[in-house]
Amino acid sequence: MDLSFYNKPACDERRRRLATRLGNRPALIASGAPRPRGTHRGLHPFRAASHFLYLFGLHLEKAMGLWTGESWQVFQPEPGPDAALWTGPVPGYAELGEILGVPVIPSAKLQEALKPGTATLPSPDVETCVEQSTLLGREIRPGKLAAVDEPLADALIALRLVHDQAGIAGLREAAQATTAAHTAGLRAIRPGIRESVVRAAIEADLVARNMTT
């Protein structure tokens, strides 16, 4: 698991500030599921939903962050028996909990942890929205917020309207990577060249610089 970009103190503070705004109102934050490419290349590289990433800082597939009204927890599916073969070694629940600073619990126990009136925000992917709907017993879909969800949306909007120092640093890194990508593209491009060749040159340059787009 790549932790080079992970900023634990920033995530701890973001969760603390959101918890202060929510008080004893429980809330469920979904990370989402991998998206298919629709081609032979399979799935896109997974990126967690923005609100989950803002609060927990890691790209955890199909995870759910839960504010119980008293504390934060993360629910994560148990890895399959061949998971390490495809993705490499993954931390167990206890190790992941140490990294995140919150208890990490198997997803099978999430339903029993939910309280009536738990708020949520729709995941960008439909599959996770279906899971949220099943867990909460009401329809969850993009573009629709129930009254119980609005305080959670308002609280996250208020927090994210003002960037903290970690957010500002991330914007600067993104700007640097964008500048490097455009510069590499200008060096590689010429009449008649394929876009795929230019893209490969840009990716190689960014890898050499240890940057991502």
Side-chain angles (χ1 to χ4, degrees):
M1 177 177 287
D2 180 14
L3 300 178
S4 60
F5 61 89
Y6 178 52
N7 190 325
K8 183 178 182 297
C11 293
D12 289 344
E13 177 61 16
R14 291 166 180 173
R15 292 194 301 271
R16 185 196 67 77
R17 292 170 62 200
L18 179 58
T20 298
R21 289 178 177 271
L22 291 175
N24 61 3
R25 293 187 292 255
L28 187 68
I29 308 293
S31 72
R35 307 303 302 144
R37 290 179 183 268
T39 69
H40 67 282
R41 298 183 68 185
L43 299 174
H44 288 282
F46 177 70
R47 183 190 186 277
S50 292
H51 294 317
F52 184 93
L53 197 58
Y54 177 78
L55 294 169
F56 297 98
L58 295 179
H59 299 289
L60 303 178
E61 295 184 13
K62 301 180 180 180
M64 298 273 185
L66 177 65
W67 169 244
T68 67
E70 299 175 351
S71 63
W72 285 100
Q73 301 171 346
V74 169
F75 291 81
Q76 173 81 357
E78 295 193 43
D82 59 348
L85 175 65
W86 300 107
T87 63
V90 294
Y93 290 114
E95 183 182 354
L96 187 55
E98 286 290 326
I99 294 170
L100 290 173
V102 300
V104 179
I105 304 167
S107 294
K109 297 184 178 182
L110 174 55
Q111 184 72 75
E112 64 190 61
L114 293 173
K115 298 177 181 178
T118 296
T120 196
L121 298 177
S123 174
D125 65 283
V126 175
E127 293 85 351
T128 302
C129 284
V130 171
E131 183 180 3
Q132 291 171 280
S133 300
T134 301
L135 287 166
L136 299 177
R138 56 189 176 88
E139 184 186 27
I140 308 296
R141 61 181 174 85
K144 178 182 179 181
L145 284 182
V148 70
D149 302 326
E150 291 176 358
L152 172 60
D154 290 341
L156 272 169
I157 289 170
L159 289 180
R160 300 192 65 181
L161 276 175
V162 181
H163 289 295
D164 55 22
Q165 290 303 310
I168 293 171
L171 288 172
R172 288 173 174 161
E173 290 175 5
Q176 292 169 356
T178 301
T179 299
H182 279 84
T183 302
L186 288 171
R187 285 198 301 265
I189 199 167
R190 60 182 183 274
I193 196 171
R194 292 180 180 272
E195 180 184 350
S196 59
V197 176
V198 177
R199 179 179 293 274
I202 293 172
E203 290 177 351
D205 186 86
L206 294 181
V207 168
R209 295 168 180 266
N210 195 28
M211 291 181 170
T212 57
T213 54

